[in-house]
Amino acid sequence: MAEAAVLSKPTDIPPGGGIMRRLNMVTGCVLGVILAIVAYKLGDYFWAANDQGTDQAVIAGEAGWVLGFLIGVGAFVAPINWLLGRDLTHDDEMFLAGKNQGIARYFRFTTDHKVVGVQYLVLAMVTFGVGGTLAMMIRTELATDDSEMFGNQIYNSLVGVHGIVMIVSTIIMVLGPWGNFIMPIMIGARDMAFPRLNALSFWTLFPAIPIFLSIAALRGIPTGWVAYAPLSDEAPPGMDAFAIAIVLFVISAGIGAVNIIVTGVTMRARGMNWHRAPIFVIGTIGTSFLGLVALPCFEVAMICTLLDRSMGAAFFVPDLGGSQWLYANLFWIMGHPEVYVIVIPGVIAILEIAPVFARKPLYSFRLAVVGLIALIALSILVWAHHMFVSGWAPTLGGPFMLTTELISIPTGLIFLVIIGTLWRGNIWMRLPMYFVYGFLWNFMIGGVTGIFLSDVPADNELHGALFVTAHFHYTLLGGAMIGAMGALAFWFPKMTGRMLNEKVGKVSFWTVMIGFNVTFMAMFYNGLAGMPRRVANYQPEYIPGNMISTAGAYVIMAGMLMFLYAIVSSWRSGDIAGPNPWHAKSLEWFVPSPPPLENFEVLPIVTGDPYGYGESHTKHTSHLGAMHRPHRSTKSKVEAVADPTPEVAAQDGDHA
Amino acid sequence: MSNDIEDRPIDDQRLTIGERLNTPAGQLVKKVTLVIVVMTVILVIFSVWWVNESMPVVASDTEQAVQDTMMVFAVASAPVMALVWGIGYYSLRHWRSPNKDLSLPPEDGPPIRSNARLTMTWVIVSGILTAFLLVWGLTELTATTTIPTTSSPLVVKVTGQQWLWSFAYDNDGGVGSPDLVLPIDRTIVFQVTSTDVIHSFWLPEMGVKVDANPGVMTTSITTPSKLGTFNVRCAELCGLNHSFMETTVTVVSADDFNKWITAHGGTPGQKVAGGTNG
Amino acid sequence: MIGAVALGATVLVLHSTKVEPPLLVATNTAAAATIAGATSTSSLDLSAYPDSTAITWRKSNDGVGPHEDWVSYGPTTNLQVPAHSVVTVTIKQYDTGEPIPNPFLAEVRGTVGGTMTVDGETVTKIDADHVGHTFTIHNFPSDKLDPLFVSVPLPAMPDEVEACSQSDCPNHVVTFQFVTLGPGDYAWNCEFPCGGNYANFGEAMSSYGYMSGTLHVV
């Protein structure tokens, strides 16, 4: 049908389609709500006879919402057409990619990786807003030593929902926006390997957000985000919503991870071997692999929890032959790699930013790769350090202390790469570089405090105390989040075509940094002094520290709101950026900002790595960012400079 | 300022160490080292003060081991932090582009791709530091988990339930108590369990923490070393009133302990089969 | 700005959903305090119901409202007693029961003389196999609070009796006395697992205001 139509103007939306063209977020929500109500009523009808009816009905209702939403948003259009023997036409594919649809494409099942990247960015900012609001509520409650503000019951839920919303946000905050938007351009590809899976990954995550929020209406979760069994078996139906949201999130992350791995491994431009791939690409692939290995354990644990709660499965119920340690192991086998899924993207963003603003090659690219791979490998082998005090297999304390302390070696390599890159550089203090220094400061503190926790006797004192809370906030907020803000400042011009307002950006950087360090230093102090985590009531000796901490948290909030203002105002009316505002050398800076659909008119051929700063013949010469310079030490410098011709070539790209 | 030293290789084999330190590159290393040393001193002073200031009073040998470990680790990590921060600080202070106009990048820096000697040194030093941490940790771990053969330990059964601790002295006539009373200088074996969800039995001033698991008994040992009243807390979120799951531990002399047992209807040293479930 | 307003609004909404049961103030009694350290006497009347619809202050059914199958203390769980006072508590127990998992809590602790009366008979503990509920005031040690730990088991009604919550329903009457020290807020709750879900510590046990509350000593 569509072949007959002729595109008369370039602005035309490709014709054809039928119902597929009319599906969007709104139809998704409508169908989702309808199916949710139907499924809830069915669940209530079949199970309400016994006392346990609510859990099953809630699970059915939430599942109905997800299914309805996915159908309504058009996630199954292409598979159903395929099943019916009607393959999509080229025009259909172009429509799905969001061609010429303006703002509307952001609210559809759009396959263009840049649309998905922006969707992820906005979603991550929204979920940060939610998580941040919850954090402020926690800090407000803790300003006094009694539970005057919300009470214990709501406070326990606040802690848990804040935890999980922030974990989800931080997992998606780098790989979602930049893994999807920047990474394919960085490797010289026109889109991800599986564009429809890319859209599916985002639109599977989206319906999880209302489910997270529904926890509040379902009497909350008393467990914190770890959802330890058997407390989770005791919890109100909010626990069901929590578990379903996790299952969805893991499916979404798994789809996204597979896509990123395949794209990064198979779709690199001609000539981009592993030595010439930017460290961000290598780190992205590694992180996705780690997520793919680790996160399903959480999914399994949550499905078992759902079965425990609704069907009496007793996987984790000790009286009935289950084991709470089984849950703890499953959870932490996910839980520790997961923090590296959060931290490594922040690290690689910093590694990508540092050479550009020190105007120097990345110090020892190979060391960075080895460091990242060692981090990823070791992170799978350390989970039981979260269970040092659990009583499970005390003999394993020594071995896990070993693996945990070994992690400080690859972490040290990453620091060496950063300071080696700064060494004798010509530091260009634009906004992204601020975050590199912020990262060095915070992540160092986060890393060193981790050493105390890796030691079993010291962990006996510190586990479950605020010291742990402060430690992981230093790594996740101070390290990963600062890295992500740096990435945003760095790639914002590429994504939007406009510069991020640096004046506001710098003020907000300092506000966040100061507020952050005040908040969590005070928390370290209270933690060492023996204040437990997750309590709304505490002894009066901890009042001063908590007052300082709460005051600092409000400063962080002010800084974050300023940063948000900078983003929103710059997105609407910032200075036009041009293709390469940072005079950087990786491929994404050689396409227009924002990049057009399918990115490259002509696919590039790569002849060197993107870090050839100071190697004069490559400076700003190649319109495709191709460089000829292989790795070399300072010793071989004289020979190396002898070859001055940049080799730049192009080939007609086959249409994918 | 870096251009004048750019062409002098740092690792020129023919120079002695003294001569090397006088090359421009050597001068730079000296200046940076000075920054790092100053920063190390500041960090050591700060972290020793910080650990002393914030950590609770030492009421057992275990806590003494914990606080020693904290102190040693803090001092050991100070040079590492100083190294990274020192170079970061130096780069901001001396290598920052002096251009007022930030719209264009400064000229490119020296294209240093790597330095094998530095990398080797870094890996070896961090390996040694890690090995030290591990050996220290394992030594302390063994010391804090071994019951001295010379003592007759006091067994206390600890039961966590939502949201209350209870203690039973089954070897002393089955006395039950909502708060903990311990004799000084005697090894205590805590046998910890739970009737419902996971709790975590925590004595902040004694460096003892072990989870109370339903259906399982976990153990932990310590030897109180200070008379006084200290805290007992729950360190694992256990539901609604987790905040209130606290009580006290009172350390008394051996005589006073026996008197307390007797006053509560027990007999020191008399085992009760099955006992009152604490 | 919008963010700050949204934050404020969320805080207010959640703050307003915090359950705050009405306050029950202990009645001052004329009797002279005969116990050292106490300067007054007062009394509290409570009930333990098998059905929270008996609680009149719960009106709505929004998740914190009455549930037919949730047990509850009544008339409220928000209690206030004078400092340095001998408090006489009378609890009418209407509910059936089961064996208690932690027999420690079948004993009377922290009351005057370590005893209580059940239907007029003085006891120091009850049968651990037939416990209905407990009334347990936590010791939350801190710099400003005096230690206070009181735990009293409430014997179960026999299973043959159909549990009901009207005042003329069959019940056990438990009385005991405890002495308050200085002022402060203490947590109290039932320590017998009588809610739903795993370990019977969910639902009514884990929702503030049913089987748990605050004791304000003023």
Side-chain angles (χ1 to χ4, degrees):
Chain A
M1 45 180 176
E3 284 84 347
V6 178
L7 293 179
S8 55
K9 281 182 293 178
T11 53
D12 278 352
I13 292 174
I19 194 169
M20 173 191 111
R21 306 279 171 104
R22 278 165 198 86
L23 297 178
N24 56 33
M25 208 170 92
V26 178
T27 55
C29 289
V30 171
L31 196 59
V33 169
I34 292 172
L35 270 191
I37 294 171
V38 171
Y40 182 85
K41 292 285 176 203
L42 279 177
D44 205 31
Y45 176 77
F46 283 115
W47 278 293
N50 73 23
D51 204 27
Q52 299 286 312
T54 7
D55 284 325
Q56 290 87 344
V58 166
I59 293 171
E62 306 270 21
W65 150 256
V66 176
L67 191 66
F69 181 86
L70 284 176
I71 295 172
V73 83
F76 304 125
V77 162
I80 288 173
N81 273 326
W82 173 83
L83 200 62
L84 299 176
R86 298 185 208 138
D87 283 344
L88 296 187
T89 64
H90 179 71
D91 281 342
D92 287 341
E93 300 277 14
M94 282 291 112
F95 180 87
L96 274 181
K99 192 173 188 186
N100 299 332
Q101 287 167 42
I103 199 91
R105 66 199 159 132
Y106 292 106
F107 300 97
R108 288 179 187 278
F109 193 82
T110 304
T111 56
D112 182 15
H113 72 101
K114 296 182 289 296
V115 173
V116 177
V118 171
Q119 285 170 332
Y120 261 116
L121 179 63
V122 173
L123 184 74
M125 292 200 302
V126 169
T127 51
F128 269 123
V130 173
T133 308
L134 293 168
M136 297 317 301
M137 285 152 72
I138 293 172
R139 283 306 338 163
T140 308
E141 173 70 74
L142 289 179
T144 56
D145 62 338
D146 52 12
S147 48
E148 213 161 53
M149 196 68 195
F150 302 114
N152 279 311
Q153 199 177 347
I154 294 175
Y155 179 83
N156 288 346
S157 292
L158 286 180
V159 171
V161 179
H162 161 74
I164 195 63
V165 166
M166 282 306 198
I167 292 287
V168 168
S169 312
T170 45
I171 288 179
I172 65 172
M173 79 183 165
V174 174
L175 290 194
W178 298 293
N180 280 306
F181 192 113
I182 298 293
M183 197 275 284
I185 315 181
M186 237 178 189
I187 62 173
R190 291 205 156 110
D191 203 324
M192 300 286 277
F194 308 114
R196 283 203 296 264
L197 281 190
N198 204 13
L200 184 63
S201 146
F202 174 79
W203 288 111
T204 313
L205 180 59
F206 185 84
I209 304 304
I211 297 185
F212 272 128
L213 298 180
S214 75
I215 291 174
L218 296 168
R219 293 197 260 119
I221 50 170
T223 57
W225 84 277
V226 296
Y228 263 11
L231 185 56
S232 62
D233 289 322
E234 194 182 285
M239 204 67 230
D240 299 319
F242 177 90
I244 290 177
I246 295 299
V247 170
L248 268 189
F249 165 66
V250 174
I251 293 173
S252 155
I255 295 172
V258 167
N259 207 353
I260 286 177
I261 294 171
V262 175
T263 307
V265 171
T266 65
M267 294 184 66
R268 278 168 292 129
R270 185 178 291 185
M272 184 183 279
N273 59 28
W274 288 118
H275 283 142
R276 293 172 184 164
I279 192 74
F280 187 79
V281 172
I282 291 172
T284 304
I285 296 170
T287 313
S288 302
F289 173 76
L290 184 59
L292 202 54
V293 171
L295 289 174
C297 292
F298 201 6
E299 188 176 9
V300 168
M302 281 299 122
I303 290 172
C304 291
T305 301
L306 281 176
L307 291 175
D308 269 17
R309 291 176 53 81
S310 60
M311 307 288 167
F315 287 106
F316 307 132
V317 180
D319 314 355
L320 303 174
S323 167
Q324 66 277 15
W325 286 334
L326 171 63
Y327 178 85
N329 273 293
L330 276 174
F331 179 83
W332 287 117
I333 288 173
M334 175 287 298
H336 199 86
E338 167 253 61
V339 299
Y340 284 82
V341 173
I342 293 171
V343 166
I344 291 177
V347 170
I348 55 181
I350 294 296
L351 291 180
E352 206 59 55
I353 294 169
V356 176
F357 295 92
R359 311 308 296 173
K360 269 186 67 202
L362 189 67
Y363 177 82
S364 192
F365 174 85
R366 291 169 198 213
L367 211 54
V369 174
V370 168
L372 287 177
I373 292 174
L375 268 187
I376 288 167
L378 278 175
S379 74
I380 301 176
L381 300 173
V382 299
W383 79 90
H385 69 210
H386 297 268
M387 300 169 66
F388 278 160
V389 304
S390 71
W392 174 73
T395 322
L396 278 171
F400 275 97
M401 184 155 76
L402 167 70
T403 52
T404 306
E405 286 175 354
L406 280 181
I407 278 207
S408 58
I409 296 179
T411 313
L413 294 185
I414 301 290
F415 276 112
L416 174 61
V417 171
I418 298 175
I419 59 172
T421 306
L422 297 181
W423 182 262
R424 289 171 61 202
N426 292 335
I427 310 292
W428 186 23
M429 282 311 281
R430 298 294 294 270
L431 184 57
M433 197 60 173
Y434 281 70
F435 292 97
V436 173
Y437 285 100
F439 176 89
L440 273 187
W441 175 264
N442 292 338
F443 201 62
M444 195 73 222
I445 297 175
V448 164
T449 49
I451 293 173
F452 298 108
L453 293 170
S454 74
D455 183 84
V456 181
D459 189 62
N460 279 352
E461 176 70 13
L462 302 174
H463 184 95
L466 276 184
F467 187 89
V468 177
T469 315
H471 157 70
F472 70 71
H473 278 90
Y474 258 96
T475 54
L476 300 186
L477 178 53
M481 177 81 182
I482 288 286
M485 288 166 81
L488 184 63
F490 184 55
W491 281 307
F492 188 83
K494 183 50 62 185
M495 295 181 87
T496 64
R498 294 174 185 278
M499 300 301 289
L500 191 61
N501 185 333
E502 294 218 359
K503 204 174 272 178
V504 182
K506 285 172 187 174
V507 174
S508 79
F509 168 82
W510 283 114
T511 319
V512 169
M513 275 299 283
I514 292 169
F516 171 77
N517 278 282
V518 167
T519 306
F520 291 100
M521 275 296 166
M523 214 177 264
F524 273 132
Y525 189 93
N526 270 346
L528 282 173
M531 178 169 165
R533 292 170 70 178
R534 297 166 169 160
V535 291
N537 302 66
Y538 51 86
Q539 298 197 2
E541 59 188 285
Y542 305 124
I543 290 176
N546 275 294
M547 295 281 271
I548 295 171
S549 213
T550 299
Y554 277 93
V555 176
I556 303 181
M557 181 180 78
M560 287 296 182
L561 288 176
M562 269 189 269
F563 200 70
L564 183 66
Y565 165 79
I567 293 170
V568 173
S569 68
S570 307
W571 207 322
R572 293 168 56 140
S573 56
D575 299 337
I576 299 297
N580 193 359
W582 311 124
H583 301 264
K585 294 176 191 262
S586 48
L587 284 178
E588 77 270 26
W589 301 108
F590 295 87
V591 294
S593 302
L597 189 62
E598 307 219 313
N599 310 336
F600 297 93
E601 273 185 46
V602 181
L603 284 182
I605 291 180
V606 178
T607 57
D609 84 354
Y611 303 118
Y613 299 97
E615 291 157 5
S616 54
H617 60 288
T618 62
K619 196 176 168 188
H620 310 151
T621 50
S622 149
H623 76 285
L624 288 176
M627 282 135 294
H628 189 57
R629 203 46 38 218
H631 303 287
R632 57 202 175 74
S633 67
T634 40
K635 268 186 181 171
S636 61
K637 185 174 174 196
V638 181
E639 302 94 83
V641 174
D643 179 357
T645 338
E647 231 177 83
V648 176
Q651 66 163 154
D652 276 348
D654 281 335
H655 219 85
Chain B
M1 67 155 286
S2 57
N3 288 338
D4 56 336
I5 54 176
E6 194 176 295
D7 298 319
R8 300 287 194 87
I10 296 174
D11 48 355
D12 192 326
Q13 301 291 336
R14 290 162 300 176
L15 300 177
T16 66
I17 290 177
E19 283 169 332
R20 231 189 270 163
L21 284 177
N22 280 327
T23 61
Q27 299 265 350
L28 178 61
V29 170
K30 269 200 285 190
K31 279 187 218 157
V32 175
T33 311
L34 183 67
V35 173
I36 293 171
V37 169
V38 170
M39 213 175 246
T40 307
V41 172
I42 295 172
L43 277 172
V44 167
I45 294 170
F46 176 77
S47 50
V48 168
W49 170 81
W50 181 268
V51 172
N52 265 333
E53 175 71 23
S54 60
M55 291 202 71
V57 295
V58 176
S60 78
D61 60 338
T62 321
E63 179 68 10
Q64 189 60 52
V66 168
Q67 298 204 5
D68 290 348
T69 305
M70 299 293 293
M71 204 63 94
V72 168
F73 281 19
V75 171
S77 50
V80 182
M81 297 173 95
L83 177 62
V84 171
W85 288 348
I87 292 175
Y89 165 79
Y90 198 89
S91 71
L92 271 180
R93 184 91 174 73
H94 294 286
W95 296 328
R96 186 176 179 160
S97 162
N99 296 354
K100 283 273 171 277
D101 175 20
L102 285 178
S103 59
L104 282 178
E107 61 178 283
D108 289 356
I112 306 168
R113 284 284 187 171
S114 78
N115 181 326
R117 188 175 294 181
L118 172 64
T119 307
M120 289 275 288
T121 317
W122 185 283
V123 171
I124 290 169
V125 170
S126 57
I128 293 171
L129 273 178
T130 308
F132 166 72
L133 298 182
L134 185 71
V135 171
W136 177 279
L138 286 175
T139 315
E140 293 283 359
L141 179 61
T142 318
T144 52
T145 50
T146 314
I147 301 176
T149 47
T150 52
S151 66
S152 63
L154 171 70
V155 178
V156 182
K157 195 167 170 195
V158 181
T159 305
Q161 86 160 65
Q162 285 174 318
W163 299 287
L164 194 72
W165 293 110
S166 53
F167 307 95
Y169 299 79
D170 284 354
N171 291 354
D172 297 284
V175 170
S177 169
D179 53 353
L180 190 54
V181 177
L182 299 176
I184 194 169
D185 292 333
R186 183 169 168 198
T187 305
I188 316 288
V189 177
F190 296 108
Q191 300 182 336
V192 185
T193 190
S194 160
T195 62
D196 36 51
V197 300
I198 303 175
H199 306 276
S200 195
F201 173 65
W202 184 19
L203 306 175
E205 287 86 359
M206 294 193 190
V208 168
K209 188 179 289 125
V210 66
D211 280 6
N213 289 279
V216 192
M217 192 183 73
T218 51
T219 56
S220 181
I221 66 162
T222 192
T223 309
S225 61
K226 189 177 168 68
L227 297 174
T229 299
F230 311 106
N231 293 293
V232 179
R233 298 202 167 117
C234 176
E236 183 63 61
L237 181 53
C238 58
L240 181 65
N241 275 353
H242 165 61
S243 295
F244 298 119
M245 196 165 162
E246 300 205 353
T247 182
T248 54
V249 48
T250 309
V251 180
V252 297
S253 67
D255 284 350
D256 288 351
F257 176 73
N258 288 343
K259 278 182 207 153
W260 181 82
I261 287 285
T262 315
H264 284 73
T267 312
Q270 179 208 47
K271 290 202 182 189
V272 177
T276 306
N277 202 352
Chain C
M1 284 300 104
I2 296 168
V5 171
L7 173 68
T10 332
V11 169
L12 279 181
V13 168
L14 263 178
H15 180 54
S16 66
T17 60
K18 181 189 172 191
V19 183
E20 199 59 65
L23 189 66
L24 175 68
V25 182
T27 330
N28 269 319
T29 45
T34 52
I35 295 166
T39 55
S40 69
T41 57
S42 53
S43 70
L44 270 178
D45 288 329
L46 296 173
S47 301
Y49 298 116
D51 173 356
S52 64
T53 51
I55 311 301
T56 47
W57 66 269
R58 292 191 183 275
K59 292 278 185 275
S60 60
N61 195 5
D62 57 357
V64 295
H67 297 260
E68 278 181 19
D69 52 350
W70 286 24
V71 295
S72 181
Y73 268 105
T76 172
T77 65
N78 199 8
L79 314 176
Q80 181 180 316
V81 295
H84 304 291
S85 172
V86 181
V87 185
T88 305
V89 185
T90 308
I91 303 177
K92 284 186 177 172
Q93 212 294 96
Y94 296 88
D95 203 5
T96 55
E98 281 169 12
I100 191 164
N102 189 352
F104 174 81
L105 291 160
E107 296 170 17
V108 182
R109 290 177 191 279
T111 63
V112 173
T115 59
M116 64 174 185
T117 67
V118 178
D119 302 330
E121 183 189 344
T122 304
V123 296
T124 59
K125 59 172 155 183
I126 63 168
D127 180 3
D129 287 340
H130 296 92
V131 180
H133 299 286
T134 80
F135 178 86
T136 305
I137 301 169
H138 279 269
N139 186 2
F140 182 64
S142 77
D143 294 345
K144 63 180 183 191
L145 289 194
D146 294 309
L148 183 61
F149 182 85
V150 178
S151 182
V152 170
L154 310 182
M157 292 306 292
D159 286 345
E160 313 79 83
V161 177
E162 199 178 322
C164 66
S165 300
Q166 269 71 52
S167 56
D168 56 345
C169 290
N171 58 61
H172 285 303
V173 180
V174 173
T175 62
F176 59 92
Q177 292 183 316
F178 69 95
V179 184
T180 58
L181 298 171
D185 291 347
Y186 297 83
W188 69 269
N189 54 268
C190 170
E191 290 287 354
F192 176 78
C194 54
N197 299 349
Y198 168 81
N200 286 329
F201 249 94
E203 301 185 340
M205 288 298 280
S206 289
S207 301
Y208 184 76
Y210 289 88
M211 297 310 284
S212 55
T214 311
L215 179 78
H216 306 276
V217 180
V218 294

